[in-house]
Amino acid sequence: MSAAMNIMIVGGGHMGSAIAFGLKRSSADMLITVVEPDATRRNDIKNAGISTLEELPSPLIADVIFLAIPPQAFLGFLENNARIGRYAGIVISVMAGIRIRELTAHLKNSQIYRTIPNLPCGVNEGMTVLITAAETTTASNIVVNQLLAKLGNLLELKDEALLDSATALVGGGPAYIAYFAAALTEYAISAGFDKSSATSIILQLLHGTTAILEQRKEPAINLCEKVMTAGGTTERAIDWFNQHGVRAAITEGLKISCARSIELGQR
Ligand SMILES: NC(=O)c1ccc[n+]([C@@H]2O[C@H](COP(=O)([O-])OP(=O)(O)OC[C@H]3O[C@@H](n4cnc5c(N)ncnc54)[C@H](OP(=O)(O)O)[C@@H]3O)[C@@H](O)[C@H]2O)c1
């Protein structure tokens, strides 16, 4: 891939800026421009050494355009930026719910990729799932695979229907882990730990648990069972979680998140 690749990211919110930061960290000489209407966000991105624009430029020159605006803003964006319909380069959408068919039709372009990334892309530890439109070229596929791999792990799916589950699982995933971490922190502080000690304990718990799961490659529940000495303290907590349907509530929450992704695609 050319070192001077020209990347434009439309939408400099949480996801768009994470992509910009991750790409910049991985390839300092990549030309990255973020198009973001909000002046404060533009300023934050500029302060990180990334070029910004208030609006889509004319002429539109980029090797790859990421669309990282809210799905609800997509049709309005097309109305106000008709020139994107003449752009023949690679477009990578990260918008939840908007199908390849709709993207291809509205953008009048065949080099379309639909992805669901997540916020750890900003520190090159992301997980991205990818669906490729039917008529993309091999050259475009190579560029997109190499580019997305810079942000962390990449999984290409063949079945677009799975993207709604991926939206719940991959896009939302860091939120669920952070939600659980917030509950642990809340407990630690209520038990008397100061904020700094609580934070460092929880971070090490996340880090150590990930490390052992990665090393042993066993199902997560095996680790859970190993910590649960019969008649001991952890068993009490896990039994209480099970009696109160915590595990079932998590899987139900993800199903509801997936349903919202389907709903966003049916506007
Ligand atoms: N957050 C995640 O973890 C995550 C994960 C996977 C996928 N996604 C997808 O990523 C997209 C962005 O999500 P987000 O969480 O980053 O939302 P966000 O923080 O609200 O960011 C969206 C940004 O797009 C800007 N925007 C809106 N219309 C625009 C336009 N016409 N031209 C340029 N910029 C425009 C918004 O600016 P204003 O606020 O000024 O309108 C805002 O800064 C969504 O489609 C979402 O489904 C997000």
Side-chain angles (χ1 to χ4, degrees), residues 10-17 35-38 41 54 67-71 73 76-77 80-81 94-97 115-119 167 170-172 264:
V10 183
H14 296 106
M15 199 62 241
S17 52
V35 179
E36 167 57 47
D38 183 86
R41 283 200 201 111
E54 187 175 354
L67 289 180
I69 57 177
F77 166 78
N80 296 329
N81 297 282
V94 309
M95 296 180 290
T115 63
I116 291 296
N118 62 18
L119 287 190
T167 303
V170 173
L264 283 170

PDB file of all heavy atoms in Angstrom, residues 10-17 35-38 41 54 67-71 73 76-77 80-81 94-97 115-119 167 170-172 264, ligand 1:
ATOM      1  N   VAL A  10     -15.549  10.958   6.860  1.00  0.00           N
ATOM      2  CA  VAL A  10     -16.680  11.878   6.993  1.00  0.00           C
ATOM      3  C   VAL A  10     -17.392  11.561   8.298  1.00  0.00           C
ATOM      4  O   VAL A  10     -17.936  10.465   8.474  1.00  0.00           O
ATOM      5  CB  VAL A  10     -17.653  11.741   5.793  1.00  0.00           C
ATOM      6  CG1 VAL A  10     -18.783  12.761   5.922  1.00  0.00           C
ATOM      7  CG2 VAL A  10     -16.916  11.919   4.477  1.00  0.00           C
ATOM      8  N   GLY A  11     -17.359  12.511   9.219  1.00  0.00           N
ATOM      9  CA  GLY A  11     -17.920  12.312  10.562  1.00  0.00           C
ATOM     10  C   GLY A  11     -16.785  12.095  11.542  1.00  0.00           C
ATOM     11  O   GLY A  11     -16.145  11.045  11.534  1.00  0.00           O
ATOM     12  N   GLY A  12     -16.516  13.121  12.339  1.00  0.00           N
ATOM     13  CA  GLY A  12     -15.394  13.032  13.291  1.00  0.00           C
ATOM     14  C   GLY A  12     -15.885  12.861  14.726  1.00  0.00           C
ATOM     15  O   GLY A  12     -15.334  13.451  15.645  1.00  0.00           O
ATOM     16  N   GLY A  13     -16.929  12.045  14.892  1.00  0.00           N
ATOM     17  CA  GLY A  13     -17.423  11.756  16.247  1.00  0.00           C
ATOM     18  C   GLY A  13     -16.583  10.661  16.883  1.00  0.00           C
ATOM     19  O   GLY A  13     -15.399  10.517  16.581  1.00  0.00           O
ATOM     20  N   HIS A  14     -17.202   9.877  17.754  1.00  0.00           N
ATOM     21  CA  HIS A  14     -16.436   8.870  18.490  1.00  0.00           C
ATOM     22  C   HIS A  14     -15.761   7.868  17.542  1.00  0.00           C
ATOM     23  O   HIS A  14     -14.570   7.623  17.640  1.00  0.00           O
ATOM     24  CB  HIS A  14     -17.362   8.118  19.462  1.00  0.00           C
ATOM     25  CG  HIS A  14     -17.916   9.029  20.507  1.00  0.00           C
ATOM     26  ND1 HIS A  14     -19.218   9.466  20.510  1.00  0.00           N
ATOM     27  CD2 HIS A  14     -17.323   9.605  21.569  1.00  0.00           C
ATOM     28  CE1 HIS A  14     -19.397  10.274  21.542  1.00  0.00           C
ATOM     29  NE2 HIS A  14     -18.265  10.375  22.198  1.00  0.00           N
ATOM     30  N   MET A  15     -16.558   7.318  16.598  1.00  0.00           N
ATOM     31  CA  MET A  15     -15.999   6.259  15.748  1.00  0.00           C
ATOM     32  C   MET A  15     -15.070   6.831  14.685  1.00  0.00           C
ATOM     33  O   MET A  15     -13.988   6.291  14.443  1.00  0.00           O
ATOM     34  CB  MET A  15     -17.148   5.462  15.108  1.00  0.00           C
ATOM     35  CG  MET A  15     -16.738   4.118  14.591  1.00  0.00           C
ATOM     36  SD  MET A  15     -16.114   3.021  15.890  1.00  0.00           S
ATOM     37  CE  MET A  15     -14.464   2.744  15.297  1.00  0.00           C
ATOM     38  N   GLY A  16     -15.505   7.927  14.048  1.00  0.00           N
ATOM     39  CA  GLY A  16     -14.671   8.520  12.991  1.00  0.00           C
ATOM     40  C   GLY A  16     -13.315   8.957  13.539  1.00  0.00           C
ATOM     41  O   GLY A  16     -12.276   8.721  12.912  1.00  0.00           O
ATOM     42  N   SER A  17     -13.301   9.564  14.732  1.00  0.00           N
ATOM     43  CA  SER A  17     -12.002  10.004  15.253  1.00  0.00           C
ATOM     44  C   SER A  17     -11.175   8.803  15.697  1.00  0.00           C
ATOM     45  O   SER A  17      -9.952   8.819  15.557  1.00  0.00           O
ATOM     46  CB  SER A  17     -12.140  11.079  16.330  1.00  0.00           C
ATOM     47  OG  SER A  17     -13.012  10.675  17.311  1.00  0.00           O
ATOM     48  N   VAL A  35     -13.774  15.138   7.956  1.00  0.00           N
ATOM     49  CA  VAL A  35     -14.795  16.149   7.654  1.00  0.00           C
ATOM     50  C   VAL A  35     -15.795  16.135   8.805  1.00  0.00           C
ATOM     51  O   VAL A  35     -16.468  15.124   9.040  1.00  0.00           O
ATOM     52  CB  VAL A  35     -15.513  15.829   6.318  1.00  0.00           C
ATOM     53  CG1 VAL A  35     -16.596  16.866   6.034  1.00  0.00           C
ATOM     54  CG2 VAL A  35     -14.502  15.735   5.183  1.00  0.00           C
ATOM     55  N   GLU A  36     -15.854  17.238   9.537  1.00  0.00           N
ATOM     56  CA  GLU A  36     -16.676  17.264  10.755  1.00  0.00           C
ATOM     57  C   GLU A  36     -17.268  18.669  10.918  1.00  0.00           C
ATOM     58  O   GLU A  36     -16.527  19.642  10.997  1.00  0.00           O
ATOM     59  CB  GLU A  36     -15.787  16.878  11.957  1.00  0.00           C
ATOM     60  CG  GLU A  36     -16.368  17.151  13.316  1.00  0.00           C
ATOM     61  CD  GLU A  36     -17.711  16.483  13.562  1.00  0.00           C
ATOM     62  OE1 GLU A  36     -17.857  15.285  13.278  1.00  0.00           O
ATOM     63  OE2 GLU A  36     -18.639  17.176  14.028  1.00  0.00           O
ATOM     64  N   PRO A  37     -18.609  18.764  10.982  1.00  0.00           N
ATOM     65  CA  PRO A  37     -19.212  20.103  11.090  1.00  0.00           C
ATOM     66  C   PRO A  37     -18.992  20.791  12.439  1.00  0.00           C
ATOM     67  O   PRO A  37     -18.969  22.016  12.502  1.00  0.00           O
ATOM     68  CB  PRO A  37     -20.711  19.851  10.874  1.00  0.00           C
ATOM     69  CG  PRO A  37     -20.918  18.379  10.998  1.00  0.00           C
ATOM     70  CD  PRO A  37     -19.606  17.702  10.809  1.00  0.00           C
ATOM     71  N   ASP A  38     -18.795  20.020  13.493  1.00  0.00           N
ATOM     72  CA  ASP A  38     -18.705  20.621  14.835  1.00  0.00           C
ATOM     73  C   ASP A  38     -17.292  21.173  15.102  1.00  0.00           C
ATOM     74  O   ASP A  38     -16.305  20.425  15.052  1.00  0.00           O
ATOM     75  CB  ASP A  38     -19.078  19.548  15.869  1.00  0.00           C
ATOM     76  CG  ASP A  38     -19.078  20.106  17.272  1.00  0.00           C
ATOM     77  OD1 ASP A  38     -20.121  20.656  17.666  1.00  0.00           O
ATOM     78  OD2 ASP A  38     -18.041  20.012  17.950  1.00  0.00           O
ATOM     79  N   ARG A  41     -15.177  19.552  18.004  1.00  0.00           N
ATOM     80  CA  ARG A  41     -14.616  18.233  17.644  1.00  0.00           C
ATOM     81  C   ARG A  41     -13.492  18.391  16.635  1.00  0.00           C
ATOM     82  O   ARG A  41     -12.476  17.717  16.713  1.00  0.00           O
ATOM     83  CB  ARG A  41     -15.702  17.336  17.043  1.00  0.00           C
ATOM     84  CG  ARG A  41     -16.582  16.781  18.102  1.00  0.00           C
ATOM     85  CD  ARG A  41     -17.324  15.549  17.631  1.00  0.00           C
ATOM     86  NE  ARG A  41     -18.461  15.424  18.516  1.00  0.00           N
ATOM     87  CZ  ARG A  41     -19.712  15.613  18.165  1.00  0.00           C
ATOM     88  NH1 ARG A  41     -20.029  15.858  16.923  1.00  0.00           N
ATOM     89  NH2 ARG A  41     -20.673  15.524  19.044  1.00  0.00           N
ATOM     90  N   GLU A  54     -14.587  21.486   7.417  1.00  0.00           N
ATOM     91  CA  GLU A  54     -15.961  21.615   7.927  1.00  0.00           C
ATOM     92  C   GLU A  54     -16.939  20.881   7.013  1.00  0.00           C
ATOM     93  O   GLU A  54     -17.954  20.367   7.456  1.00  0.00           O
ATOM     94  CB  GLU A  54     -16.305  23.104   8.018  1.00  0.00           C
ATOM     95  CG  GLU A  54     -17.623  23.358   8.694  1.00  0.00           C
ATOM     96  CD  GLU A  54     -17.902  24.836   8.889  1.00  0.00           C
ATOM     97  OE1 GLU A  54     -17.006  25.664   8.590  1.00  0.00           O
ATOM     98  OE2 GLU A  54     -19.014  25.147   9.324  1.00  0.00           O
ATOM     99  N   LEU A  67     -17.364   6.536   5.700  1.00  0.00           N
ATOM    100  CA  LEU A  67     -18.582   7.239   6.110  1.00  0.00           C
ATOM    101  C   LEU A  67     -18.865   6.881   7.554  1.00  0.00           C
ATOM    102  O   LEU A  67     -19.273   5.754   7.863  1.00  0.00           O
ATOM    103  CB  LEU A  67     -19.755   6.838   5.216  1.00  0.00           C
ATOM    104  CG  LEU A  67     -19.705   7.357   3.780  1.00  0.00           C
ATOM    105  CD1 LEU A  67     -20.928   6.873   3.001  1.00  0.00           C
ATOM    106  CD2 LEU A  67     -19.614   8.881   3.734  1.00  0.00           C
ATOM    107  N   ALA A  68     -18.608   7.833   8.462  1.00  0.00           N
ATOM    108  CA  ALA A  68     -18.755   7.575   9.901  1.00  0.00           C
ATOM    109  C   ALA A  68     -19.750   8.558  10.515  1.00  0.00           C
ATOM    110  O   ALA A  68     -19.556   9.037  11.628  1.00  0.00           O
ATOM    111  CB  ALA A  68     -17.394   7.656  10.594  1.00  0.00           C
ATOM    112  N   ILE A  69     -20.807   8.837   9.744  1.00  0.00           N
ATOM    113  CA  ILE A  69     -21.872   9.715  10.260  1.00  0.00           C
ATOM    114  C   ILE A  69     -22.988   8.827  10.818  1.00  0.00           C
ATOM    115  O   ILE A  69     -23.042   7.631  10.510  1.00  0.00           O
ATOM    116  CB  ILE A  69     -22.412  10.656   9.148  1.00  0.00           C
ATOM    117  CG1 ILE A  69     -22.928   9.842   7.960  1.00  0.00           C
ATOM    118  CG2 ILE A  69     -21.337  11.637   8.714  1.00  0.00           C
ATOM    119  CD1 ILE A  69     -23.550  10.692   6.858  1.00  0.00           C
ATOM    120  N   PRO A  70     -23.887   9.378  11.630  1.00  0.00           N
ATOM    121  CA  PRO A  70     -24.983   8.547  12.130  1.00  0.00           C
ATOM    122  C   PRO A  70     -25.843   8.048  10.958  1.00  0.00           C
ATOM    123  O   PRO A  70     -26.031   8.788   9.987  1.00  0.00           O
ATOM    124  CB  PRO A  70     -25.790   9.514  13.013  1.00  0.00           C
ATOM    125  CG  PRO A  70     -24.839  10.618  13.348  1.00  0.00           C
ATOM    126  CD  PRO A  70     -23.927  10.746  12.159  1.00  0.00           C
ATOM    127  N   PRO A  71     -26.365   6.819  11.040  1.00  0.00           N
ATOM    128  CA  PRO A  71     -27.177   6.304   9.933  1.00  0.00           C
ATOM    129  C   PRO A  71     -28.366   7.212   9.622  1.00  0.00           C
ATOM    130  O   PRO A  71     -28.751   7.372   8.465  1.00  0.00           O
ATOM    131  CB  PRO A  71     -27.656   4.923  10.422  1.00  0.00           C
ATOM    132  CG  PRO A  71     -27.217   4.787  11.840  1.00  0.00           C
ATOM    133  CD  PRO A  71     -26.199   5.834  12.127  1.00  0.00           C
ATOM    134  N   ALA A  73     -28.367  10.287   9.560  1.00  0.00           N
ATOM    135  CA  ALA A  73     -27.914  11.491   8.846  1.00  0.00           C
ATOM    136  C   ALA A  73     -27.557  11.174   7.382  1.00  0.00           C
ATOM    137  O   ALA A  73     -27.262  12.089   6.604  1.00  0.00           O
ATOM    138  CB  ALA A  73     -26.692  12.082   9.545  1.00  0.00           C
ATOM    139  N   GLY A  76     -29.745  12.801   4.429  1.00  0.00           N
ATOM    140  CA  GLY A  76     -29.519  14.256   4.422  1.00  0.00           C
ATOM    141  C   GLY A  76     -28.133  14.573   3.878  1.00  0.00           C
ATOM    142  O   GLY A  76     -27.956  15.526   3.101  1.00  0.00           O
ATOM    143  N   PHE A  77     -27.153  13.762   4.250  1.00  0.00           N
ATOM    144  CA  PHE A  77     -25.784  13.944   3.761  1.00  0.00           C
ATOM    145  C   PHE A  77     -25.758  13.822   2.230  1.00  0.00           C
ATOM    146  O   PHE A  77     -25.124  14.629   1.538  1.00  0.00           O
ATOM    147  CB  PHE A  77     -24.866  12.917   4.425  1.00  0.00           C
ATOM    148  CG  PHE A  77     -23.520  12.775   3.770  1.00  0.00           C
ATOM    149  CD1 PHE A  77     -22.523  13.723   3.988  1.00  0.00           C
ATOM    150  CD2 PHE A  77     -23.257  11.715   2.918  1.00  0.00           C
ATOM    151  CE1 PHE A  77     -21.292  13.609   3.364  1.00  0.00           C
ATOM    152  CE2 PHE A  77     -22.033  11.591   2.292  1.00  0.00           C
ATOM    153  CZ  PHE A  77     -21.046  12.545   2.513  1.00  0.00           C
ATOM    154  N   ASN A  80     -27.260  16.903   0.503  1.00  0.00           N
ATOM    155  CA  ASN A  80     -26.407  18.104   0.551  1.00  0.00           C
ATOM    156  C   ASN A  80     -25.066  17.918  -0.141  1.00  0.00           C
ATOM    157  O   ASN A  80     -24.317  18.890  -0.276  1.00  0.00           O
ATOM    158  CB  ASN A  80     -26.145  18.504   2.009  1.00  0.00           C
ATOM    159  CG  ASN A  80     -27.431  18.905   2.698  1.00  0.00           C
ATOM    160  OD1 ASN A  80     -28.331  19.430   2.049  1.00  0.00           O
ATOM    161  ND2 ASN A  80     -27.526  18.631   3.982  1.00  0.00           N
ATOM    162  N   ASN A  81     -24.735  16.692  -0.515  1.00  0.00           N
ATOM    163  CA  ASN A  81     -23.397  16.424  -1.085  1.00  0.00           C
ATOM    164  C   ASN A  81     -23.530  15.523  -2.314  1.00  0.00           C
ATOM    165  O   ASN A  81     -22.939  14.449  -2.370  1.00  0.00           O
ATOM    166  CB  ASN A  81     -22.506  15.744  -0.039  1.00  0.00           C
ATOM    167  CG  ASN A  81     -22.249  16.626   1.158  1.00  0.00           C
ATOM    168  OD1 ASN A  81     -21.420  17.535   1.111  1.00  0.00           O
ATOM    169  ND2 ASN A  81     -22.980  16.379   2.234  1.00  0.00           N
ATOM    170  N   VAL A  94     -19.185   2.742   8.014  1.00  0.00           N
ATOM    171  CA  VAL A  94     -19.214   2.131   9.351  1.00  0.00           C
ATOM    172  C   VAL A  94     -20.597   2.340   9.963  1.00  0.00           C
ATOM    173  O   VAL A  94     -20.804   2.068  11.138  1.00  0.00           O
ATOM    174  CB  VAL A  94     -18.109   2.684  10.290  1.00  0.00           C
ATOM    175  CG1 VAL A  94     -16.747   2.637   9.630  1.00  0.00           C
ATOM    176  CG2 VAL A  94     -18.389   4.095  10.768  1.00  0.00           C
ATOM    177  N   MET A  95     -21.542   2.807   9.151  1.00  0.00           N
ATOM    178  CA  MET A  95     -22.870   3.158   9.684  1.00  0.00           C
ATOM    179  C   MET A  95     -23.682   1.901  10.005  1.00  0.00           C
ATOM    180  O   MET A  95     -23.857   1.027   9.162  1.00  0.00           O
ATOM    181  CB  MET A  95     -23.631   4.003   8.655  1.00  0.00           C
ATOM    182  CG  MET A  95     -22.981   5.347   8.381  1.00  0.00           C
ATOM    183  SD  MET A  95     -23.898   6.328   7.181  1.00  0.00           S
ATOM    184  CE  MET A  95     -23.631   5.421   5.666  1.00  0.00           C
ATOM    185  N   ALA A  96     -24.187   1.861  11.223  1.00  0.00           N
ATOM    186  CA  ALA A  96     -24.993   0.713  11.635  1.00  0.00           C
ATOM    187  C   ALA A  96     -26.273   0.665  10.810  1.00  0.00           C
ATOM    188  O   ALA A  96     -26.895   1.689  10.546  1.00  0.00           O
ATOM    189  CB  ALA A  96     -25.345   0.830  13.121  1.00  0.00           C
ATOM    190  N   GLY A  97     -26.645  -0.538  10.390  1.00  0.00           N
ATOM    191  CA  GLY A  97     -27.972  -0.739   9.791  1.00  0.00           C
ATOM    192  C   GLY A  97     -28.066  -0.504   8.289  1.00  0.00           C
ATOM    193  O   GLY A  97     -28.966  -1.041   7.655  1.00  0.00           O
ATOM    194  N   THR A 115     -18.781  -2.028   7.081  1.00  0.00           N
ATOM    195  CA  THR A 115     -18.049  -2.562   8.224  1.00  0.00           C
ATOM    196  C   THR A 115     -18.761  -2.205   9.524  1.00  0.00           C
ATOM    197  O   THR A 115     -19.527  -1.254   9.589  1.00  0.00           O
ATOM    198  CB  THR A 115     -16.630  -1.959   8.329  1.00  0.00           C
ATOM    199  OG1 THR A 115     -16.752  -0.558   8.558  1.00  0.00           O
ATOM    200  CG2 THR A 115     -15.807  -2.195   7.095  1.00  0.00           C
ATOM    201  N   ILE A 116     -18.466  -2.983  10.544  1.00  0.00           N
ATOM    202  CA  ILE A 116     -18.753  -2.572  11.921  1.00  0.00           C
ATOM    203  C   ILE A 116     -17.429  -2.686  12.674  1.00  0.00           C
ATOM    204  O   ILE A 116     -16.932  -3.785  12.920  1.00  0.00           O
ATOM    205  CB  ILE A 116     -19.852  -3.441  12.572  1.00  0.00           C
ATOM    206  CG1 ILE A 116     -21.212  -3.163  11.922  1.00  0.00           C
ATOM    207  CG2 ILE A 116     -19.934  -3.163  14.075  1.00  0.00           C
ATOM    208  CD1 ILE A 116     -21.752  -1.736  12.103  1.00  0.00           C
ATOM    209  N   PRO A 117     -16.857  -1.537  12.983  1.00  0.00           N
ATOM    210  CA  PRO A 117     -15.629  -1.526  13.794  1.00  0.00           C
ATOM    211  C   PRO A 117     -16.011  -1.251  15.250  1.00  0.00           C
ATOM    212  O   PRO A 117     -17.197  -1.220  15.585  1.00  0.00           O
ATOM    213  CB  PRO A 117     -14.867  -0.342  13.208  1.00  0.00           C
ATOM    214  CG  PRO A 117     -15.921   0.588  12.689  1.00  0.00           C
ATOM    215  CD  PRO A 117     -17.196  -0.199  12.482  1.00  0.00           C
ATOM    216  N   ASN A 118     -15.023  -1.040  16.102  1.00  0.00           N
ATOM    217  CA  ASN A 118     -15.342  -0.581  17.460  1.00  0.00           C
ATOM    218  C   ASN A 118     -14.278   0.405  17.948  1.00  0.00           C
ATOM    219  O   ASN A 118     -13.245   0.604  17.293  1.00  0.00           O
ATOM    220  CB  ASN A 118     -15.597  -1.757  18.426  1.00  0.00           C
ATOM    221  CG  ASN A 118     -14.397  -2.660  18.603  1.00  0.00           C
ATOM    222  OD1 ASN A 118     -13.271  -2.279  18.295  1.00  0.00           O
ATOM    223  ND2 ASN A 118     -14.635  -3.848  19.101  1.00  0.00           N
ATOM    224  N   LEU A 119     -14.553   1.026  19.085  1.00  0.00           N
ATOM    225  CA  LEU A 119     -13.695   2.144  19.509  1.00  0.00           C
ATOM    226  C   LEU A 119     -12.231   1.773  19.762  1.00  0.00           C
ATOM    227  O   LEU A 119     -11.358   2.615  19.552  1.00  0.00           O
ATOM    228  CB  LEU A 119     -14.293   2.841  20.742  1.00  0.00           C
ATOM    229  CG  LEU A 119     -15.540   3.696  20.480  1.00  0.00           C
ATOM    230  CD1 LEU A 119     -15.879   4.530  21.709  1.00  0.00           C
ATOM    231  CD2 LEU A 119     -15.371   4.613  19.283  1.00  0.00           C
ATOM    232  N   THR A 167     -23.121  -5.808  14.855  1.00  0.00           N
ATOM    233  CA  THR A 167     -23.294  -4.441  15.357  1.00  0.00           C
ATOM    234  C   THR A 167     -23.503  -4.485  16.868  1.00  0.00           C
ATOM    235  O   THR A 167     -22.911  -3.715  17.624  1.00  0.00           O
ATOM    236  CB  THR A 167     -24.494  -3.771  14.648  1.00  0.00           C
ATOM    237  OG1 THR A 167     -24.226  -3.822  13.249  1.00  0.00           O
ATOM    238  CG2 THR A 167     -24.680  -2.333  15.086  1.00  0.00           C
ATOM    239  N   VAL A 170     -19.901  -6.548  18.255  1.00  0.00           N
ATOM    240  CA  VAL A 170     -18.577  -5.936  18.025  1.00  0.00           C
ATOM    241  C   VAL A 170     -18.621  -4.422  18.260  1.00  0.00           C
ATOM    242  O   VAL A 170     -17.806  -3.884  19.014  1.00  0.00           O
ATOM    243  CB  VAL A 170     -18.102  -6.237  16.579  1.00  0.00           C
ATOM    244  CG1 VAL A 170     -16.836  -5.476  16.249  1.00  0.00           C
ATOM    245  CG2 VAL A 170     -17.921  -7.725  16.389  1.00  0.00           C
ATOM    246  N   GLY A 171     -19.598  -3.762  17.618  1.00  0.00           N
ATOM    247  CA  GLY A 171     -19.699  -2.308  17.787  1.00  0.00           C
ATOM    248  C   GLY A 171     -19.974  -1.963  19.239  1.00  0.00           C
ATOM    249  O   GLY A 171     -19.305  -1.113  19.830  1.00  0.00           O
ATOM    250  N   GLY A 172     -20.937  -2.658  19.826  1.00  0.00           N
ATOM    251  CA  GLY A 172     -21.328  -2.359  21.204  1.00  0.00           C
ATOM    252  C   GLY A 172     -20.449  -3.028  22.246  1.00  0.00           C
ATOM    253  O   GLY A 172     -20.488  -2.639  23.421  1.00  0.00           O
ATOM    254  N   LEU A 264     -32.831   0.173  12.130  1.00  0.00           N
ATOM    255  CA  LEU A 264     -32.139   1.306  11.492  1.00  0.00           C
ATOM    256  C   LEU A 264     -32.017   1.089   9.983  1.00  0.00           C
ATOM    257  O   LEU A 264     -32.008   2.035   9.215  1.00  0.00           O
ATOM    258  CB  LEU A 264     -30.744   1.496  12.101  1.00  0.00           C
ATOM    259  CG  LEU A 264     -30.684   2.176  13.463  1.00  0.00           C
ATOM    260  CD1 LEU A 264     -29.276   2.079  14.062  1.00  0.00           C
ATOM    261  CD2 LEU A 264     -31.107   3.642  13.373  1.00  0.00           C
TER     262      LEU A 264
HETATM  263  N1  LIG B   1     -19.530   4.587  18.500  1.00  0.00           N
HETATM  264  C1  LIG B   1     -19.228   3.339  18.192  1.00  0.00           C
HETATM  265  O1  LIG B   1     -18.614   2.606  18.993  1.00  0.00           O
HETATM  266  C2  LIG B   1     -19.599   2.773  16.833  1.00  0.00           C
HETATM  267  C3  LIG B   1     -19.270   1.435  16.540  1.00  0.00           C
HETATM  268  C4  LIG B   1     -19.570   0.937  15.266  1.00  0.00           C
HETATM  269  C5  LIG B   1     -20.201   1.740  14.330  1.00  0.00           C
HETATM  270  N2  LIG B   1     -20.528   3.019  14.665  1.00  0.00           N
HETATM  271  C6  LIG B   1     -21.174   3.851  13.636  1.00  0.00           C
HETATM  272  O2  LIG B   1     -20.353   4.983  13.448  1.00  0.00           O
HETATM  273  C7  LIG B   1     -21.160   6.090  13.047  1.00  0.00           C
HETATM  274  C8  LIG B   1     -20.822   7.269  13.940  1.00  0.00           C
HETATM  275  O3  LIG B   1     -21.121   6.919  15.282  1.00  0.00           O
HETATM  276  P1  LIG B   1     -20.497   7.748  16.488  1.00  0.00           P
HETATM  277  O4  LIG B   1     -20.755   6.954  17.706  1.00  0.00           O
HETATM  278  O5  LIG B   1     -19.127   8.178  16.136  1.00  0.00           O
HETATM  279  O6  LIG B   1     -21.494   9.010  16.478  1.00  0.00           O
HETATM  280  P2  LIG B   1     -21.154  10.504  16.899  1.00  0.00           P
HETATM  281  O7  LIG B   1     -20.155  10.519  17.987  1.00  0.00           O
HETATM  282  O8  LIG B   1     -22.472  11.173  17.087  1.00  0.00           O
HETATM  283  O9  LIG B   1     -20.437  11.078  15.605  1.00  0.00           O
HETATM  284  C9  LIG B   1     -21.071  11.327  14.391  1.00  0.00           C
HETATM  285  C10 LIG B   1     -20.420  12.556  13.815  1.00  0.00           C
HETATM  286  O10 LIG B   1     -20.847  12.743  12.473  1.00  0.00           O
HETATM  287  C11 LIG B   1     -21.050  14.145  12.306  1.00  0.00           C
HETATM  288  N3  LIG B   1     -21.927  14.396  11.183  1.00  0.00           N
HETATM  289  C12 LIG B   1     -23.278  14.351  11.124  1.00  0.00           C
HETATM  290  N4  LIG B   1     -23.691  14.663   9.891  1.00  0.00           N
HETATM  291  C13 LIG B   1     -22.589  14.927   9.159  1.00  0.00           C
HETATM  292  C14 LIG B   1     -22.366  15.318   7.820  1.00  0.00           C
HETATM  293  N5  LIG B   1     -23.383  15.492   6.982  1.00  0.00           N
HETATM  294  N6  LIG B   1     -21.090  15.509   7.399  1.00  0.00           N
HETATM  295  C15 LIG B   1     -20.055  15.327   8.247  1.00  0.00           C
HETATM  296  N7  LIG B   1     -20.210  14.964   9.535  1.00  0.00           N
HETATM  297  C16 LIG B   1     -21.453  14.762   9.982  1.00  0.00           C
HETATM  298  C17 LIG B   1     -21.646  14.572  13.613  1.00  0.00           C
HETATM  299  O11 LIG B   1     -21.538  15.969  13.770  1.00  0.00           O
HETATM  300  P3  LIG B   1     -22.695  16.763  14.556  1.00  0.00           P
HETATM  301  O12 LIG B   1     -22.800  16.147  15.913  1.00  0.00           O
HETATM  302  O13 LIG B   1     -22.209  18.172  14.560  1.00  0.00           O
HETATM  303  O14 LIG B   1     -23.947  16.534  13.760  1.00  0.00           O
HETATM  304  C18 LIG B   1     -20.789  13.823  14.600  1.00  0.00           C
HETATM  305  O15 LIG B   1     -19.607  14.506  14.920  1.00  0.00           O
HETATM  306  C19 LIG B   1     -22.614   5.652  13.185  1.00  0.00           C
HETATM  307  O16 LIG B   1     -23.124   5.368  11.899  1.00  0.00           O
HETATM  308  C20 LIG B   1     -22.550   4.395  14.019  1.00  0.00           C
HETATM  309  O17 LIG B   1     -23.560   3.479  13.651  1.00  0.00           O
HETATM  310  C21 LIG B   1     -20.241   3.558  15.885  1.00  0.00           C
END
